[in-house]
Amino acid sequence: MTKNLRVKSSKYVDETNRISFKFNGKTYHGFKGDTLASALLANNVHLVGRSFKYHRPRGIMTSGSEEPNAIVQINPGTDRTEPNVRATEVEIYEGLEASSQNCWPSVQFDIGGINNFLSPFFPAGFYYKTFMWPASFWEKYEFFIRHSAGLGKSPTSSDPDIYDHRNVHYDVLVVGAGISGILAAKNAAKNNFKTLLVDEKNELGGSTIFENNEFNKIDNKTPSEWLKKEIEELKEIKNLEIKTRTSVAAYHQYNYLLARENLTDHLESKDKTNKIRQRLIKIRAKKVILATGALERPMIFNNNDRPGIMLSSAVKKYSEFYGVACGSKNVFFTNNDSAYESALSLYNKGINVEAIIDIREQSESKIVNKIKETGIKIYWSHSIVDTAGYKRLNSVSIMKLSNDGTSVTGNKISISCDCLGVAGGWTPAVHLYTQSGSKLKFDEEKKVFLPNQSTSDQISVGSCGGDFKIDEIINNLNQKLKDTLNINETDLDNIKIEIDQENSKRNIWLLPSDKPLGKTKPFVDYQNDATAKDIKLALREGFRSIEHVKRYTTTGMGTDQGKLGNMHALGIIADTAGVKMGELGTTTFRPPYTPLTFGTIVGRSVGKFFDIFRKTPINDWHVENKAEFENVGQWKRAWYYPINGETMHQAVQRESKAVRESAGILDASTLGKIDIQGSDASEFLNRVYTNAWSKLAIGKCRYGLMLNEDGMVYDDGVTTRLGENHYIMTTTTGGAANVLGKLEDYLQTEWPELDVYLTSVTDHYATASLCGPNSKKILKKIIPDLDLSDENFPHMSFKEANIGNIQCRIMRISFTGEHSYEINVQASYGKDLWEKCMEAGQEFNITPYGTETMHLLRAEKGFIIVGQDTDGTMTPIDLQMDWIVSKKKYDFIGKRSLYRSDTMREDRKQLVGLLTDDPNIVLEEGAQIVSELNQSPVEMLGHVTSSYFSPNLNKSIALAVVRGGKNMMGKKLFVPMENKNINVTVANPVFYDEKNERLNA
Amino acid sequence: MFLINCPYCGERDQQEFKAGGEAHIERPKQPTELSDDEWAEYLFMRKNIKGVQYERWNHAHGCRKWFNVVRDTSNDEIKAIYKMGEKPPSQ
């Protein structure tokens, strides 16, 4: 079975460097420079995969990134395994392993192949139609569908490789290093434009580099020889950077492009470690020159998907570039002259070409005449009506085409062959062009979509711009370069070009067979097994939009994104529906052009770099003392401090009791702090808070509630007046950045006349909250000369003091209901301050407590947490905080909205306390509240927002929002849970020390 | 990712900026004088144009200044940029 099909040494494959690799467990050999596809073909392996739906055997079809069939799993079972890789893009290296996908138990014998025989039962939309009924069965269907779907297997361990991102800026970016790209880059760089040239392949030159049509000449050389000289000269050019193995994935507006540079994929495993595997290059270019070339089209005929059926251009590339014959009995099927170049390439190497089947009536170009001289049989006006060979093509059947091309006549001729090169014409690769937002137009003569209106400074040159012949390419390129670079002369002004004129064309989107369409399988999308039949069915069923037909039939939805078959799909739709292709438009080409790995997308943002996090200056102490942490916004906050193997519940109960009984200390450094200065600072606060600020004395603190214009609570915190025109505002930890943004917005846009300056000082201060009945004694020990009497330093007031040499700001404010002090020092002294407090507090059993205890203690007092007890639909009135809303102030943010008919409704959800009838039951936060148990469906009155077991009250307490709750004091309600109904009573949300006596204790 | 020419800092990548919705919606000077409907008009009603739209943008990761941008929402082409308080260019 295996025989070597290496036919002639090639410049691009190093035959002195033999490489062994494994495919489906079997060892093969190739040479340095081979792709996995070329090496397999050299070993006469065509069957490499199974199709997605019918599990039909499939072979290598192309030689590039448009490959729909040869999709393999690389290095299966290892950390570096990668699914859905195109064998045509994998450069082989010693030790490479690859396997087929979507087949079981093997690609040779695949049980799923039975779908092929059942295919009459799997038309387009089969899944949509079949698994809809009965609706309740979907879960059962889904289980089976999920297990039979999917291509490769994703790796199960974390990726061992390093990925990188880089931002670059260029005057000119040239995408594609074929002949047009090379000439464009060269001339741009020579004219002092800082230029980047990228190409997805590892060699420059595109398809011209292995061009073999001897009738095309540039300066009396073949284009291939001439281009090699040009490539040599690139090395001498300054201002030019060249990146190979670099594929542009996305072209966004404003000439912003993303390219993936492959750095180690072609290296042996031992050379991959500790190197960057792939780099995402983020390119900003003043001008973009697209030279992305064209993709050869297949042709759509019955059973056009067998292993051994390939693009004619791929057959030529394997022969000329890799020195590999794709078959020993070759046939070509074409509608243009390019198949003749492929045939000649094989003929010149002594490989058997059995026949060329051409749907045209005749062609008289030089290359065709040359083939005629060789004696290779050409069947003019013939079409392939069927092919045979299950795992490898063994023959094609041809018949004469009718004049109108819709039917076949005469005798069926069978031609034995093992490789069929198909040449259906060329489709410009306009994917990147349209991604940029630019618009296409259809060229009826060339049957291609071409660039029309660009949205940014860009040009499309060469075959992606619709120029297919070497003279058109160079002359149009020359003019476009002069226009876009604004230069008068180029290297291309005086070159002499001779070309072989193609003089005959014929295009038939769907070729006829002697069988009715229903009995044939003319594949349009190879990867997703969508046939011309499916497309016609979609049209019969009423689909008209190309986007709908695409989704219904899955044409163009594989990993190849329909690079080969999309034009045929459009053509078949246009012909069937009787519209022009130009009117039909195309489906949207979305990034990425070729798939990107997740690694490349995330770059270095993995593990601890996934998201930034913020630590307080006291963080090290918390870590040393075994705190558990919770994330609050980007902050890591001490959550609780378990000792002796305590559970969270045990730790929190102990901490909560200790604070009320003696003393506790909390790291409050994460609270947002905004320094507010200016002669209008008081007026500004009047406008942004619901309460009045003008009369706040210097040295006093006040709690404020901030609303949105819609009247809903946005943030809260204590603000202190430090001087006549100087305040320090605190915000919630999570809301700090948004509050600053909102305040700046109003100052800059609504009230620019106010003299107010805002500075975020959150990171500048560390804050220790010293709390509990013994907090005063502890502070006295630290600052003996500060008068802490209620007369001198009452609740809600502020003092500046020194701890040793350290200046500090102390606010006597409380979020726990206990006598407490918030001590602020310059951040770098934070840990020192904390340790001093701990030392002084030792005799009072000072207990460090975390955010969970803070939440419990404030809930005992009925203090809200914005974002926990509120959710953007709660007004201050809903929170029963009418006292903080000034009736006297003419205006403040959100005031008007408090008088809208909706916000004044009595039956809005309002904040209340809830007590469980059984004091040991702790409600679940988020649990629903109802007033009836026997109703169905039952009306949901509200939900539990905060719930704890209070060690100080020795019972469970909860805050909740309940519809009309304000007037339900004492009412019995129910919290239905999965296994039981919990009886609760509506209560005052202040559960502890209702008269605030402890604040002054 | 388009580029925005901040009137204070110069041309920067879009990711440095925050969009702030429709421009030239002035906060009513006397909200209490307004009917519910009039207040709702200010509070909730915003245009969502496919085409040329006047918008507010903030250089959030830069100078933090607010300014106005005239942008074609169909292709992100920026037609004009001007400071807060300046008159919008006529269409």
Side-chain angles (χ1 to χ4, degrees):
Chain A
M1 174 85 191
T2 51
K3 64 178 173 186
N4 199 326
L5 289 172
R6 194 72 63 170
V7 288
K8 191 186 162 198
S9 58
S10 149
K11 171 176 182 274
Y12 299 100
V13 173
D14 177 6
E15 292 198 14
T16 63
N17 196 343
R18 195 160 178 260
I19 286 170
S20 66
F21 65 98
K22 276 187 182 170
F23 182 67
N24 285 336
K26 191 174 170 194
T27 302
Y28 296 94
H29 294 96
F31 298 117
K32 180 93 187 144
D34 265 328
T35 61
L36 179 59
S38 70
L40 287 171
L41 290 168
N43 287 283
N44 202 21
V45 176
H46 274 257
L47 171 61
V48 290
R50 293 274 176 158
S51 68
F52 188 59
K53 193 163 141 191
Y54 302 134
H55 292 252
R56 282 170 70 101
R58 291 283 165 82
I60 297 158
M61 176 106 199
T62 73
S63 58
S65 60
E66 70 273 33
E67 176 62 38
N69 287 343
I71 308 292
V72 298
Q73 180 102 22
I74 294 294
N75 297 321
T78 70
D79 288 354
R80 286 205 167 88
T81 190
E82 189 176 349
N84 307 338
V85 178
R86 290 157 299 284
T88 49
E89 291 195 299
V90 177
E91 296 174 46
I92 60 165
Y93 51 84
E94 190 65 38
L96 170 73
E97 288 190 34
S99 64
S100 300
Q101 302 182 158
N102 204 37
C103 54
W104 185 84
S106 77
V107 71
Q108 293 289 338
F109 177 73
D110 175 17
I111 283 179
I114 192 144
N115 285 5
N116 185 36
F117 301 104
L118 298 175
S119 64
F121 306 107
F122 292 107
F126 169 74
Y127 288 86
Y128 300 132
K129 289 167 184 162
T130 309
F131 298 110
M132 290 293 290
W133 320 103
S136 59
F137 268 44
W138 169 245
E139 282 182 19
K140 289 197 175 63
Y141 292 139
E142 189 186 17
F143 177 82
F144 289 102
I145 293 172
R146 295 269 178 246
H147 278 73
S148 61
L151 293 169
K153 290 193 170 60
S154 48
T156 50
S157 51
S158 68
D159 192 329
D161 283 315
I162 304 167
Y163 299 83
D164 194 30
H165 285 187
R166 180 179 285 173
N167 287 288
V168 297
H169 296 257
Y170 285 90
D171 295 327
V172 175
L173 167 70
V174 182
V175 185
I179 186 166
S180 335
I182 286 167
L183 298 177
K186 191 177 170 193
N187 281 286
K190 272 188 168 177
N191 284 283
N192 288 325
F193 291 92
K194 188 186 166 202
T195 303
L196 174 65
L197 171 65
V198 301
D199 194 278
E200 61 182 7
K201 301 262 177 6
N202 59 344
E203 292 281 351
L204 302 181
S207 59
T208 309
I209 206 73
F210 55 88
E211 178 60 55
N212 65 331
N213 186 336
E214 61 202 73
F215 304 107
N216 292 328
K217 289 271 163 57
I218 305 175
D219 284 345
N220 295 320
K221 294 194 173 86
T222 65
S224 159
E225 286 168 46
W226 185 83
L227 185 60
K228 282 173 193 159
K229 175 186 62 84
E230 291 289 313
I231 291 171
E232 274 303 301
E233 286 174 21
L234 287 179
K235 289 174 192 155
E236 312 296 320
I237 297 175
K238 288 175 189 160
N239 284 326
L240 174 63
E241 187 167 357
I242 300 171
K243 285 196 178 293
T244 53
R245 298 187 178 102
T246 301
S247 164
V248 173
Y251 186 169
H252 298 292
Q253 331 100 304
Y254 286 66
N255 281 351
Y256 179 60
L257 297 92
L258 300 175
R260 186 237 9 243
E261 183 182 16
N262 247 328
L263 296 160
T264 65
D265 279 358
H266 59 292
L267 301 178
E268 287 181 40
S269 293
K270 65 179 168 57
D271 298 324
K272 288 184 202 276
T273 37
N274 296 324
K275 284 184 190 153
I276 293 166
R277 179 190 171 203
Q278 293 178 344
R279 178 180 282 134
L280 189 70
I281 310 176
K282 304 173 180 180
I283 308 164
R284 286 272 182 204
K286 293 199 180 105
K287 294 170 191 295
V288 172
I289 300 178
L290 292 175
T292 47
L295 303 171
E296 189 166 49
R297 294 176 196 162
M299 290 204 282
I300 311 302
F301 53 95
N302 185 21
N303 287 321
N304 58 346
D305 67 324
R306 302 194 185 281
I309 301 180
M310 307 173 69
L311 294 180
S312 152
S313 59
V315 174
K316 180 166 97 177
K317 181 163 187 184
Y318 287 118
S319 162
E320 291 287 326
F321 192 88
Y322 298 104
V324 173
C326 294
S328 41
K329 283 194 285 183
N330 296 278
V331 171
F332 290 91
F333 184 30
T334 188
N335 65 8
N336 67 91
D337 282 356
S338 54
Y340 293 82
E341 295 177 8
S342 306
L344 189 61
S345 169
L346 297 186
Y347 178 83
N348 286 342
K349 290 181 162 62
I351 303 160
N352 190 11
V353 178
E354 296 282 322
I356 297 176
I357 299 134
D358 198 322
I359 68 169
R360 298 176 297 177
E361 278 163 20
Q362 196 48 263
S363 172
E364 294 293 341
S365 62
K366 291 175 186 164
I367 185 97
V368 172
N369 287 332
K370 173 110 186 172
I371 290 288
K372 289 176 185 167
E373 288 165 18
T374 65
I376 294 171
K377 172 81 178 156
I378 305 173
Y379 293 92
W380 297 103
S381 286
H382 273 70
S383 178
I384 295 182
V385 294
D386 203 354
T387 67
Y390 185 59
K391 289 179 194 166
R392 176 73 184 268
L393 179 72
N394 59 34
S395 70
V396 298
S397 306
I398 67 170
M399 288 174 80
K400 185 138 177 81
L401 264 174
S402 65
N403 286 340
D404 64 0
T406 59
S407 59
V408 282
T409 58
N411 293 330
K412 203 189 282 188
I413 307 166
S414 178
I415 304 169
S416 162
C417 59
D418 60 359
C419 177
L420 174 68
V422 181
W426 296 85
T427 303
V430 292
H431 307 73
L432 292 178
Y433 176 81
T434 57
Q435 279 181 25
S436 74
S438 302
K439 298 279 179 264
L440 301 169
K441 68 159 191 267
F442 190 69
D443 184 320
E444 287 290 347
E445 193 217 320
K446 291 181 177 171
K447 298 283 177 209
V448 289
F449 282 96
L450 293 178
N452 189 25
Q453 281 177 308
S454 309
T455 53
S456 61
D457 195 349
Q458 60 169 304
I459 51 172
S460 292
V461 299
S463 55
C464 76
D467 298 332
F468 296 105
K469 296 189 199 100
I470 209 86
D471 58 336
E472 281 175 353
I473 290 172
I474 290 182
N475 293 335
N476 289 339
L477 169 66
N478 195 16
Q479 193 52 51
K480 284 178 181 173
L481 281 178
K482 285 176 179 175
D483 294 344
T484 195
L485 302 177
N486 200 17
I487 52 177
N488 294 323
E489 52 187 46
T490 71
D491 292 356
L492 309 173
D493 285 337
N494 298 310
I495 56 177
K496 204 174 80 194
I497 304 166
E498 295 165 39
I499 65 149
D500 183 16
Q501 282 296 350
E502 182 179 66
N503 51 19
S504 166
K505 275 191 189 334
R506 187 178 191 185
N507 192 72
I508 301 172
W509 293 116
L510 171 59
L511 290 158
S513 169
D514 55 329
K515 292 180 190 160
L517 182 66
K519 303 266 185 208
T520 63
K521 284 209 180 66
F523 288 93
V524 176
D525 182 311
Y526 296 86
Q527 197 176 93
N528 280 345
D529 281 346
T531 66
K533 266 189 303 192
D534 295 320
I535 292 171
K536 293 208 172 195
L537 176 68
L539 290 169
R540 275 206 306 280
E541 292 187 355
F543 291 94
R544 285 293 172 268
S545 153
I546 171 68
E547 296 281 4
H548 290 159
V549 173
K550 166 182 165 176
R551 281 157 184 76
Y552 192 58
T553 62
T554 71
T555 303
M557 287 174 68
T559 58
D560 58 328
Q561 291 278 291
K563 289 189 180 76
L564 295 185
N566 259 7
M567 285 301 291
H568 301 92
L570 291 169
I572 292 166
I573 295 168
D575 286 350
T576 309
V579 295
K580 287 191 164 172
M581 284 183 73
E583 292 161 16
L584 206 57
T586 64
T587 53
T588 313
F589 299 115
R590 290 192 180 81
Y593 177 64
T594 50
L596 289 176
T597 61
F598 283 117
T600 312
I601 294 167
V602 298
R604 305 256 176 188
S605 304
V606 291
K608 64 179 178 178
F609 300 117
F610 177 67
D611 193 12
I612 55 166
F613 59 88
R614 301 167 81 183
K615 296 187 293 187
T616 78
I618 309 165
N619 188 71
D620 286 352
W621 191 94
H622 306 318
V623 174
E624 285 158 24
N625 287 274
K626 309 277 189 291
E628 293 291 332
F629 287 84
E630 76 166 331
N631 298 328
V632 182
Q634 290 171 329
W635 288 100
K636 295 275 174 203
R637 292 199 73 177
W639 193 10
Y640 58 96
Y641 300 80
I643 48 176
N644 302 329
E646 279 176 326
T647 63
M648 174 170 166
H649 176 73
Q650 289 165 335
V652 170
Q653 296 287 303
R654 171 181 53 75
E655 290 171 13
S656 302
K657 244 175 134 61
V659 173
R660 297 236 187 268
E661 283 171 2
S662 177
I665 184 167
L666 171 84
D667 182 355
S669 308
T670 62
L671 284 183
K673 293 175 275 289
I674 301 170
D675 186 273
I676 302 173
Q677 300 194 40
S679 56
D680 293 315
S682 303
E683 170 61 17
F684 180 64
L685 290 175
N686 268 334
R687 296 187 190 185
V688 301
Y689 277 131
T690 59
N691 47 350
W693 290 79
S694 310
K695 287 181 186 155
L696 183 69
I698 295 170
K700 297 289 182 194
C701 314
R702 184 165 286 172
Y703 173 77
L705 206 55
M706 200 181 285
L707 310 184
N708 269 330
E709 282 296 9
D710 61 7
M712 303 305 157
V713 171
Y714 183 67
D715 204 80
D716 68 346
V718 170
T719 295
T720 302
R721 190 168 198 175
L722 301 175
E724 176 64 26
N725 298 321
H726 190 187
Y727 292 83
I728 182 121
M729 171 189 282
T730 58
T731 72
T732 59
T733 296
N738 290 336
V739 169
L740 180 69
K742 180 180 159 98
L743 299 183
E744 285 178 332
D745 187 351
Y746 274 90
L747 267 183
Q748 288 180 37
T749 64
E750 299 294 351
W751 309 318
E753 71 281 4
L754 292 186
D755 174 41
V756 177
Y757 302 89
L758 306 173
T759 311
S760 166
V761 293
T762 303
D763 292 313
H764 303 53
Y765 290 95
T767 307
S769 178
L770 191 57
C771 181
N774 285 319
S775 59
K776 189 174 180 175
K777 291 176 197 155
I778 297 168
L779 188 61
K780 190 74 193 168
K781 280 175 72 180
I782 303 170
I783 317 176
D785 51 354
L786 181 62
D787 178 0
L788 296 179
S789 66
D790 284 347
E791 295 72 38
N792 184 56
F793 197 177
H795 182 59
M796 298 306 273
S797 67
F798 156 83
K799 294 287 174 205
E800 273 188 332
N802 283 340
I803 302 176
N805 292 326
I806 312 170
Q807 269 193 334
C808 55
R809 288 172 170 175
I810 308 173
M811 283 84 169
R812 188 176 157 190
I813 53 180
S814 176
F815 192 41
T816 59
E818 295 299 318
H819 189 122
S820 62
Y821 302 92
E822 285 191 3
I823 310 167
N824 297 273
V825 295
Q826 192 182 311
S828 51
Y829 295 117
K831 194 168 170 232
D832 187 55
L833 165 71
W834 183 274
E835 282 165 347
K836 278 199 166 66
C837 292
M838 287 302 294
E839 193 188 325
Q842 200 173 14
E843 62 177 293
F844 303 100
N845 185 30
I846 189 169
T847 301
Y849 67 96
T851 48
E852 192 63 21
T853 292
M854 175 185 84
H855 285 178
L856 191 162
L857 294 173
R858 65 87 208 177
E860 289 178 341
K861 287 293 295 173
F863 293 151
I864 59 156
I865 288 185
V866 174
Q868 175 160 346
D869 303 296
T870 73
D871 60 2
T873 66
M874 301 294 286
T875 70
I877 318 300
D878 299 336
L879 293 170
Q880 306 218 46
M881 291 173 77
D882 311 47
W883 54 271
I884 202 169
V885 181
S886 166
K887 300 272 187 300
K888 289 181 193 152
K889 284 200 295 184
Y890 179 72
D891 192 15
F892 56 82
I893 296 172
K895 171 162 177 157
R896 176 62 185 80
S897 290
L898 299 179
Y899 302 94
R900 293 178 58 234
S901 57
D902 181 58
T903 47
M904 287 172 71
R905 278 190 299 117
E906 286 291 315
D907 64 344
R908 289 177 61 82
K909 283 185 187 164
Q910 289 143 355
L911 186 81
V912 294
L914 279 191
L915 290 172
T916 48
D917 289 2
D918 176 348
N920 291 316
I921 295 178
V922 180
L923 296 170
E924 275 187 35
E925 287 175 0
Q928 311 283 288
I929 300 162
V930 301
S931 61
E932 299 291 335
L933 283 177
N934 301 321
Q935 241 177 350
S936 177
V938 65
E939 188 194 15
M940 196 269 273
L941 292 180
H943 67 277
V944 178
T945 60
S946 297
S947 175
Y948 305 91
F949 187 84
S950 161
N952 299 301
L953 297 162
N954 202 28
K955 65 179 179 188
S956 109
I957 56 167
L959 299 175
V961 293
V962 176
R963 185 165 297 150
K966 221 181 265 194
N967 297 320
M968 284 190 183
M969 209 53 63
K971 189 173 164 69
K972 298 277 183 195
L973 297 173
F974 306 98
V975 176
M977 299 301 290
E978 202 171 8
N979 305 319
K980 60 184 180 218
N981 296 308
I982 303 168
N983 296 349
V984 296
T985 306
V986 179
N988 182 342
V990 184
F991 300 101
Y992 188 79
D993 185 26
E994 206 173 326
K995 291 180 183 151
N996 287 331
E997 285 161 348
R998 300 181 64 88
L999 285 174
N1000 297 311
Chain B
M1 281 295 171
F2 41 97
L3 295 170
I4 298 174
N5 195 3
C6 170
Y8 304 93
C9 306
E11 195 171 70
R12 296 288 191 278
D13 194 287
Q14 182 197 343
Q15 66 182 0
E16 293 185 16
F17 298 85
K18 193 175 99 176
E22 191 182 341
H24 304 297
I25 296 178
E26 200 181 342
R27 187 174 189 273
K29 289 276 185 288
Q30 296 173 315
T32 48
E33 313 289 314
L34 301 183
S35 69
D36 269 12
D37 284 350
E38 286 166 331
W39 179 248
E41 181 70 24
Y42 159 71
L43 200 55
F44 301 122
M45 296 306 172
R46 296 293 182 273
K47 288 181 197 134
N48 186 12
I49 299 165
K50 182 180 180 184
V52 175
Q53 180 160 290
Y54 289 68
E55 304 177 324
R56 294 158 11 105
W57 282 79
N58 178 233
H59 196 184
H61 298 282
C63 63
R64 294 191 67 81
K65 282 285 196 182
W66 284 91
F67 54 90
N68 296 308
V69 172
V70 186
R71 182 175 67 108
D72 187 330
T73 58
S74 67
N75 59 13
D76 285 332
E77 187 192 341
I78 291 176
K79 309 269 188 190
I81 289 179
Y82 52 101
K83 294 179 181 176
M84 280 295 156
E86 288 179 356
K87 282 222 168 84
S90 55
Q91 288 178 338

